Amino acid sequence: MLELPRTLFPAPTLLLALALSSCGGEAQPPATHDGPAAPSGFTDITAASGLPTAFPDVVGTHALIEIMGPGVALFDYDGDGDLDLLEGRCPPPGHVGDPAPDRLWQRQADGRYVDVSAASGLTDPGYGQGFAIGDVDNDGDPDVFCANYGPDAFFLNQGDGTFVDATAESGFTGTDEWSCSAAFFDADRDGDLDLFVPHYAKFDASVVCRRQDSSQEYCGPLAFPSTVDSLWINDGSGRFREEGAARGITAKGSGLGVVCADFTGDGWCDVYVANDASANHLWINQGDGNFVEDGVERGVAVNRFGKPEGSMGIAIGDVDGNAELDLLVTNMEEENNTLYAGDGQAFQDVTPHAGMTRFDLSKTGFGCAFFDVDLDGDLDLAVANGRVRRSKPESKARLAPFWQPFGECNALFMNDGTAAFVRADEGLGGDFIARAEITRGLAVGDLDGDGDLDLVTSQSIGPLRIYRNDAPHRGHWLQVRARTGKRDALGADIKVRCGTRVWRSVAMAGQSYVSSRDPRAHFGLGEATLVDGIEVIWPSGRRERFDGGAVDRAIEIVEGAGRAP
């Protein structure tokens, strides 16, 4: 048994909360602003950004695929320095085989977005689920893997604002599984990106599930055969071959969220998969690109009661300030979202001590992200919620009659600096927690270049939403783009030192649920006004140090340009 970090015990007063409304939160000290009308939390700027806001007028059929929802990706596809949006799309309920092309939204200089899907060629018509973003040919342009219900697709970035469908040429053929989240990483340390793709279930539309009153309900994954996930290895020329079984990926599950990071400190990237209604998988890299499943032994397969949960999304970060990676997994209603504290080798379920249990037990969590909302120096948590089973509608649900019982408000939890989380009130949570919708994907990135991270969400039924972070800055920040050659060094493990304090993050795009975030590592630094140094463990295993310097800026570091530790 691991010793529980003392910092994870919240003060008793932090566990006393005032439930202000079904979508509200705990009382917080009022924010201080220069002007009386200054915003103080997350502001929905979807319409102002040029994106559609209308909900489709459709009725569900209770087919499981329609309630799971597509994701969203944030990435700079055209190399102009700002983040564009890729929106996953699904056909209407009852029209599984109809094309539903994804949408690429290009950010303009004025902050608005323009649909450039047709002009870009990035129009996968499949039944959209998740995205993986990564530069597979090391030419400096991010490429896109589309995980679908049915055949997956892969698009190669041409470097001129256009994409070409390279699914067959890249080897991604015969992929007719139900693919969900996906993530690029360098599994074998050969300098190019490989791909991990969880698969959910072998869905059968003829299977019908019912409630106790005999009314039809969405089935869970246990109603269908489980599957084995895929590991695609890049041969260096941009062509992939599925080698999961040959490299040890053999255990079945109902895979949804996935993150790839070094969880054991050996310099090799491991893989963690959130499985719905079955034990989660932690694939430990054996130092040669082969993997062994070690979730039970390392404490992240099941919850503290020894039970698997209905796991959906994954957030990763150092929430307790000990320079080790921690994990949060979102789960079904009647199951708390689970926080696993890491010690560099294994994890311990510390959920009761994090202070969120009284608020998330009734929620169904999907997308999630650790990030420093107010730049005070510790990681906060955003969770996208939305039911898969009908229940009494929340008071702030404004959905069509069929979908009304599935709507839930999102949640924002603020870290008090000791890894005890306090639910944000309506002032700080703002529009992000104000509506009861069926939210699924969640991605974070600094959309407006002001140093804090904004949110973009997708829904099972409904439009994308963009939430600008207007929280008052309570400290300083640093954003680090890590590159190996021309591409983002996905998996680079980065530590920033300021005096005696160390912040740790990983450069990664794939996390949350069926979504892809900005891969640049972002650090809220609190009162620190000078960075003393930056340490990196690159995906190749090389370790380097870089000079620090001023705060409140975005910097770029390149493998090979630092000095030996």
Side-chain angles (χ1 to χ4, degrees):
M1 176 64 67
L2 298 175
E3 181 182 357
L4 186 67
R6 294 178 62 188
T7 55
L8 284 167
F9 286 97
T13 55
L14 292 173
L15 300 180
L16 301 177
L18 300 174
L20 301 180
S21 73
S22 64
C23 289
E26 294 184 355
Q28 297 279 354
T32 300
H33 300 289
D34 294 332
S40 61
F42 284 87
T43 304
D44 185 343
I45 59 168
T46 308
S49 299
L51 272 67
T53 58
F55 281 77
D57 185 14
V58 296
V59 175
T61 67
H62 291 106
L64 177 58
I65 52 175
E66 71 192 25
I67 197 68
M68 300 303 287
V72 60
L74 294 180
F75 71 122
D76 182 7
Y77 89 93
D78 52 5
D80 64 353
D82 53 35
L83 294 173
D84 309 297
L85 308 180
L86 181 56
E87 175 187 6
R89 299 182 69 229
C90 303
H95 298 268
V96 174
D98 289 1
D102 298 330
R103 288 177 179 166
L104 179 62
W105 298 91
Q106 183 188 53
R107 185 175 176 88
Q108 308 298 296
D110 62 359
R112 293 178 62 84
Y113 290 86
V114 173
D115 185 348
V116 295
S117 307
S120 72
L122 187 53
T123 55
D124 173 39
Y127 200 112
Q129 295 292 269
F131 298 111
I133 308 295
D135 181 2
V136 305
D137 52 3
N138 298 325
D139 65 352
D141 305 309
D143 309 305
V144 178
F145 179 85
C146 303
N148 295 323
Y149 170 69
D152 299 326
F154 175 70
F155 290 83
L156 199 63
N157 194 327
Q158 301 298 287
D160 59 0
T162 66
F163 292 82
V164 61
D165 186 338
T167 307
E169 294 83 348
S170 299
F172 295 113
T173 55
T175 56
D176 57 358
E177 302 278 358
W178 183 349
S179 303
C180 295
S181 300
F184 284 113
F185 73 119
D186 190 351
D188 47 12
R189 294 206 326 198
D190 64 353
D192 50 50
L193 291 177
D194 310 300
L195 177 70
F196 197 98
V197 184
H199 301 299
Y200 188 54
K202 295 185 180 296
F203 176 69
D204 182 349
S206 67
V207 176
V208 176
C209 295
R210 299 189 181 278
R211 298 162 63 97
Q212 290 184 345
D213 62 4
S214 298
S215 63
Q216 193 170 347
E217 185 65 285
Y218 287 104
C219 295
L222 297 183
F224 309 99
S226 57
T227 60
V228 178
D229 300 332
S230 295
L231 174 60
W232 294 89
I233 299 297
N234 188 338
D235 69 1
S237 70
R239 186 168 181 84
F240 291 78
R241 182 171 59 193
E242 206 291 307
E243 297 185 8
R247 292 177 179 261
I249 310 296
T250 56
K252 289 185 176 181
S254 298
L256 291 175
V258 60
V259 296
C260 304
D262 179 9
F263 294 113
T264 64
D266 64 355
W268 291 79
C269 207
D270 311 302
V271 180
Y272 183 58
V273 180
N275 286 314
D276 189 358
S278 58
N280 299 326
H281 292 153
L282 178 57
W283 298 104
I284 298 298
N285 198 319
Q286 299 301 288
D288 55 5
N290 294 297
F291 294 83
V292 171
E293 206 289 302
D294 210 19
V296 171
E297 290 78 1
R298 295 183 187 267
V300 290
V302 294
N303 66 11
R304 60 194 178 279
F305 303 113
K307 295 182 178 180
E309 298 175 297
S311 299
M312 315 291 186
I314 308 171
I316 182 172
D318 175 18
V319 301
D320 52 7
N322 67 349
E324 301 293 352
L325 297 176
D326 309 305
L327 293 167
L328 179 123
V329 179
T330 55
N331 295 312
M332 279 283 294
E333 61 181 322
E334 301 179 5
E335 300 171 344
N336 293 118
N337 297 330
T338 304
L339 178 62
Y340 298 102
D343 67 0
Q345 287 294 316
F347 297 82
Q348 184 175 358
D349 182 346
V350 296
T351 304
H353 311 287
M356 296 179 283
T357 55
R358 66 172 296 179
F359 304 112
D360 60 21
L361 188 62
S362 64
K363 306 292 186 183
T364 296
F366 278 83
C368 52
F370 285 128
F371 68 113
D372 192 344
V373 170
D374 52 4
L375 310 180
D376 65 350
D378 49 55
L379 292 179
D380 310 302
L381 173 68
V383 179
N385 293 320
R387 299 171 184 149
V388 296
R389 295 190 297 228
R390 295 196 306 277
S391 188
K392 180 181 178 180
E394 291 195 358
S395 62
K396 295 191 178 181
R398 301 290 186 271
L399 305 176
F402 181 90
W403 306 107
Q404 184 84 341
F406 299 97
E408 286 184 322
C409 293
N410 301 324
L412 182 68
F413 295 96
M414 303 301 291
N415 190 334
D416 76 340
T418 68
F421 289 85
V422 180
R423 189 170 64 162
D425 67 5
E426 293 179 337
L428 184 58
D431 294 331
F432 177 69
I433 66 171
R435 303 183 184 90
E437 298 180 331
I438 314 173
T439 310
R440 294 294 183 249
L442 183 151
V444 299
D446 185 0
L447 298 179
D448 49 10
D450 64 351
D452 56 37
L453 298 184
D454 310 296
L455 298 172
V456 180
T457 62
S458 62
Q459 300 187 61
S460 178
I461 297 293
L464 291 184
R465 291 204 183 277
I466 303 176
Y467 299 98
R468 186 183 63 214
N469 185 349
D470 291 323
H473 290 188
R474 303 188 185 279
H476 300 283
W477 59 275
L478 184 73
Q479 186 163 265
V480 181
R481 183 185 184 190
R483 287 199 301 110
T484 179
K486 295 181 179 181
R487 67 171 175 84
D488 287 300
L490 300 182
D493 201 314
I494 305 170
K495 291 181 179 178
V496 171
R497 295 186 178 274
C498 302
T500 60
R501 180 77 188 271
V502 177
W503 287 266
R504 182 180 178 186
S505 185
V506 180
M508 64 169 61
Q511 49 183 297
S512 187
Y513 170 80
V514 297
S515 298
S516 184
R517 61 174 287 169
D518 183 0
R520 293 175 292 183
H522 183 272
F523 301 87
L525 301 177
E527 296 179 353
T529 57
L530 182 69
V531 173
D532 295 322
I534 300 171
E535 302 172 13
V536 184
I537 304 176
W538 298 97
S540 65
R542 173 186 284 175
R543 298 170 184 257
E544 288 187 308
R545 293 178 183 268
F546 293 83
D547 293 333
V551 298
D552 298 334
R553 61 187 182 128
I555 66 172
E556 186 174 282
I557 56 176
V558 180
E559 182 174 7
R563 60 184 181 277

